[in-house]
Amino acid sequence: MEKILEETAPMNGNEEFPNEIILEIRAGAGGEEALLFAKELAGMYTTYAANSGWKVAQLDDLTYEIHGKDAYKKLRFETGVHRVQRVPDTEKMGRVHTSTASVAILPVRKKATVEIKPSDLEVETSRSGGAGGQNVNKVETAVRIIHKPTGIDVRSTAQRSQLKNREMAMSILTAKLEKMKEEEEAAKYAGDRKAQIGTADRSEKIRTYNFLQDRITDHRVKKNWHNIERIMKGEIEPVLEEIANAKDI
């Protein structure tokens, strides 16, 4: 069986699978339940990363920097829309709710291939909230950068200095622009995209987590897994391996 690597074709031959990624998760449809699911996904991935011996740093709400051997190689197929089906704790009638969250796995490459002009950036600073000490709350250390040509909006709030938050925000922005460029190139040469395991498009529904049936289904490889509670606690290696080893459809 052939590994499905079309969507991760390297822009630089020496950086096919960089060891540093940005993990970004966003709540989708479903209100509070979607946000709860997004947080659970974040916990699943960060626990898996920690158990793998990787370094994890939170950059902003549900945005993380992960650094470790094979980080991108292991998680590259997780990009897309994840759907959950369950009865929320607040549901009095016992009805099943469906909510979604989107996941983006952004490789951080040592050699950037995109040019970012200073004139294309709008930079804002503000006080960071949450934990971090008095310095974080009283000084404008949080940085938000908007890339005006694309509308991409990134934030970094976890660092204690504005300079470090700006550097991290630029790293996130660069990773997003790199990913956008890769997807544009893939679209040009992919041909029949249905023959691929996935397009790495965040709008593509890739997986459903059905708690009532204790089942996780990956729609790309048409494969099911059980023991959903254990998987949500970070035991996702069997899922990652199955997808990485799937043959071309």
Side-chain angles (χ1 to χ4, degrees):
M1 298 194 301
E2 297 181 1
K3 302 283 186 179
I4 303 170
L5 303 177
E6 289 89 343
E7 70 193 61
T8 56
M11 301 187 72
N12 181 309
N14 296 324
E15 292 194 311
E16 182 172 359
F17 299 122
N19 291 325
E20 184 176 354
I21 64 171
I22 302 295
L23 165 66
E24 182 184 66
I25 303 175
R26 293 183 180 178
E32 292 184 5
E33 175 67 8
L35 179 58
L36 176 61
F37 178 51
K39 291 179 178 179
E40 290 173 330
L41 287 176
M44 179 181 74
Y45 289 122
T46 55
T47 300
Y48 172 76
N51 291 342
S52 299
W54 301 342
K55 294 181 180 179
V56 180
Q58 187 168 8
L59 307 178
D60 194 24
D61 277 348
L62 302 181
T63 301
Y64 303 83
E65 179 186 33
I66 298 176
H67 189 280
K69 181 176 173 55
D70 293 333
Y72 182 54
K73 186 176 183 180
K74 290 275 191 177
L75 296 176
R76 66 195 189 278
F77 294 125
E78 293 302 289
T79 292
V81 172
H82 296 237
R83 180 177 67 174
V84 63
Q85 294 176 320
R86 63 184 171 189
V87 179
D89 291 338
T90 56
E91 172 56 57
K92 297 180 180 180
M93 303 297 293
R95 293 172 297 187
V96 176
H97 287 224
T98 298
S99 305
T100 63
S102 65
V103 173
I105 304 295
L106 307 170
V108 177
R109 305 187 187 280
K110 294 180 179 179
K111 296 181 180 179
T113 62
V114 295
E115 179 184 1
I116 302 177
K117 299 178 181 178
S119 60
D120 289 339
L121 302 179
E122 180 179 330
V123 182
E124 299 176 359
T125 60
S126 62
R127 296 180 184 180
S128 295
Q134 293 182 349
N135 175 66
V136 174
N137 295 323
K138 292 184 177 180
V139 181
E140 290 193 345
T141 57
V143 174
R144 177 190 182 200
I145 298 179
I146 301 172
H147 186 246
K148 291 184 283 188
T150 61
I152 292 176
D153 184 334
V154 299
R155 281 174 51 89
S156 180
T157 63
Q159 303 298 323
R160 293 183 63 86
S161 76
Q162 185 182 119
L163 177 60
K164 289 184 178 180
N165 274 323
R166 182 181 177 120
E167 290 175 349
M168 184 52 63
M170 284 299 299
S171 179
I172 299 171
L173 175 61
T174 301
K176 287 193 172 189
L177 291 174
E178 291 273 2
K179 189 68 172 178
M180 180 181 292
K181 183 176 180 180
E182 289 182 9
E183 290 174 358
E184 289 174 351
E185 290 298 316
K188 291 180 182 178
Y189 302 108
D192 185 3
R193 296 174 75 105
K194 292 182 180 180
Q196 299 181 37
I197 188 172
T199 62
D201 186 347
R202 287 179 62 170
S203 66
E204 178 184 3
K205 182 183 70 179
I206 64 169
R207 192 173 299 149
T208 295
Y209 302 69
N210 190 313
F211 277 75
L212 275 74
Q213 299 179 9
D214 186 33
R215 184 184 69 233
I216 291 178
T217 302
D218 193 284
H219 305 292
R220 299 164 298 178
V221 296
K222 298 178 176 61
K223 176 75 176 182
N224 297 323
W225 295 266
H226 297 281
N227 294 317
I228 191 169
E229 294 290 347
R230 291 177 59 182
I231 292 174
M232 296 301 293
K233 290 180 179 178
E235 298 184 24
I236 58 173
E237 186 69 30
V239 180
L240 301 179
E241 287 187 354
E242 183 77 28
I243 294 169
N245 288 308
K247 67 178 182 179
D248 234 332
I249 300 173

